[in-house]
Amino acid sequence: DVKVTQSSRYLVKRTGEKVFLECVQDMDHENMFWYRQDPGLGLRLIYFSYDVKMKEKGDIPEGYSVSREKKERFSLILESASTNQTSMYLCASSARQGGNQPQHFGDGTRLSIL
Amino acid sequence: AQSVTQPDIHITVSEGASLELRCNYSYGATPYLFWYVQSPGQGLQLLLKYFSGDTLVQGIKGFEAEFKRSQSSFNLRKPSVHWSDAAEYFCAVGGSWGKLQFGAGTQVVVTP
C-alpha cells in the first residue's frame, strides 16, 4: 500500500513565524500535492510538483512556497504565518502525470496560527 | 475548465437504509472520476474510480457509482449503510498533470 506520511498531526504556531510542513511518500511517485481544507470549501490546491525541483502553483499559492529536493519529500512553507492560514493541510502523491491516476493522501496536519 | 458540484452539503440516513450521493461534473472530454471518503481527523481514502468502459463501477466498503454521460453525473450509492459509513465524501475529476478538482463534499450522518 502507498504510504504518505505527514510529519505532524497537530501544530500550533504564532503569527509571523516561518512554518514548515513535511510530507514523505514511499511509492516512488512522480507527482506530489499540497492542499488546504476548510469547511464548506472542500480541498483547494496550493502547489504541486511533478518532478524533483519542479513546482507549479495551484489555485491558492499566495503566502506559501514549496520545496522538493528529493523525489519522496515535498515540503510546504508558510513564509510568515498569518491567522487566516489556520487550516487542515493535506499532502498527496500520485504516479506519472496522467489525469487517470488516483491521489493517495496523508492523514493531514491541523495547523493553528495564534 | 473542469468543475465538480456536490449539491448536497449534508445528508442524514438511518442505519440499514440505502444511500445515494450526487455528483455533477463539467469537463470537455471523457472525464476521469473519483470518489473519496474522509473519516473524522483522517486523510482521504479512495473509494472507487472511473476511467472508461462499464459505467457501473464497484469500489471498496460496498460502494458503487454510476457514470451517466448524458447527465454529466457520477453518483455514489450503497444499498445498506453502516454506522461506520458516517464521514465526508468527496467527488473529484482528474485533469492535467495528475491534478484533481474536488467538489465541496457531502457530510453523511448515520442515525441508529
Side-chain angles (χ1 to χ4, degrees):
Chain A
D1 277 357
V2 177
K3 184 70 173 176
V4 178
T5 303
Q6 295 185 230
S7 54
S8 303
R9 292 297 302 275
Y10 301 94
L11 207 54
V12 180
K13 296 291 183 181
R14 297 203 174 274
T15 56
E17 281 193 66
K18 191 169 186 176
V19 180
F20 294 85
L21 303 183
E22 306 288 345
C23 175
V24 177
Q25 51 95 2
D26 66 356
M27 283 302 293
D28 202 36
H29 281 169
E30 286 80 3
N31 300 337
M32 296 189 74
F33 307 84
W34 275 107
Y35 296 89
R36 65 175 284 175
Q37 182 180 18
D38 301 288
L41 298 179
L43 278 74
R44 292 180 291 167
L45 182 64
I46 304 171
Y47 268 96
F48 69 101
S49 168
Y50 54 88
D51 202 350
V52 175
K53 297 190 184 295
M54 305 302 289
K55 60 185 179 183
E56 294 288 338
K57 293 179 180 179
D59 300 320
I60 52 164
E62 296 78 18
Y64 303 94
S65 63
V66 290
S67 172
R68 194 167 181 200
E69 296 297 317
K70 294 184 178 181
K71 191 174 186 180
E72 68 271 19
R73 185 180 297 270
F74 192 36
S75 302
L76 179 69
I77 304 157
L78 285 66
E79 297 289 345
S80 178
S82 64
T83 55
N84 62 11
Q85 292 178 308
T86 291
S87 186
M88 169 75 102
Y89 289 87
L90 292 166
C91 175
S93 71
S94 70
R96 300 193 296 275
Q97 295 171 1
N100 62 350
Q101 295 301 314
Q103 292 182 13
H104 302 268
F105 285 81
D107 285 337
T109 296
R110 187 164 294 283
L111 175 64
S112 296
I113 307 296
L114 304 179
Chain B
Q2 64 261 37
S3 65
V4 177
T5 302
Q6 294 180 245
D8 303 305
I9 297 172
H10 188 273
I11 284 181
T12 299
V13 59
S14 299
E15 192 168 14
S18 63
L19 174 68
E20 181 167 12
L21 304 182
R22 295 183 290 163
C23 173
N24 295 101
Y25 68 89
S26 172
Y27 193 71
T30 300
Y32 302 124
L33 295 162
F34 306 85
W35 273 101
Y36 284 86
V37 61
Q38 185 180 33
S39 298
Q42 302 296 316
L44 276 68
Q45 181 183 21
L46 179 68
L47 283 175
L48 48 78
K49 57 191 178 187
Y50 171 79
F51 300 152
S52 63
D54 193 348
T55 57
L56 185 64
V57 293
Q58 302 297 320
I60 63 171
K61 301 177 186 282
F63 284 92
E64 66 179 24
E66 186 171 13
F67 171 63
K68 292 185 177 180
R69 183 187 300 277
S70 61
Q71 298 178 19
S72 297
S73 69
F74 187 56
N75 294 349
L76 181 72
R77 298 193 293 254
K78 185 168 184 177
S80 176
V81 299
H82 186 261
W83 62 266
S84 60
D85 294 322
E88 190 158 22
Y89 293 79
F90 292 93
C91 181
V93 60
S96 59
W97 298 106
K99 293 189 291 182
L100 294 179
Q101 185 71 43
F102 286 89
T106 298
Q107 186 71 46
V108 173
V109 173
V110 180
T111 59

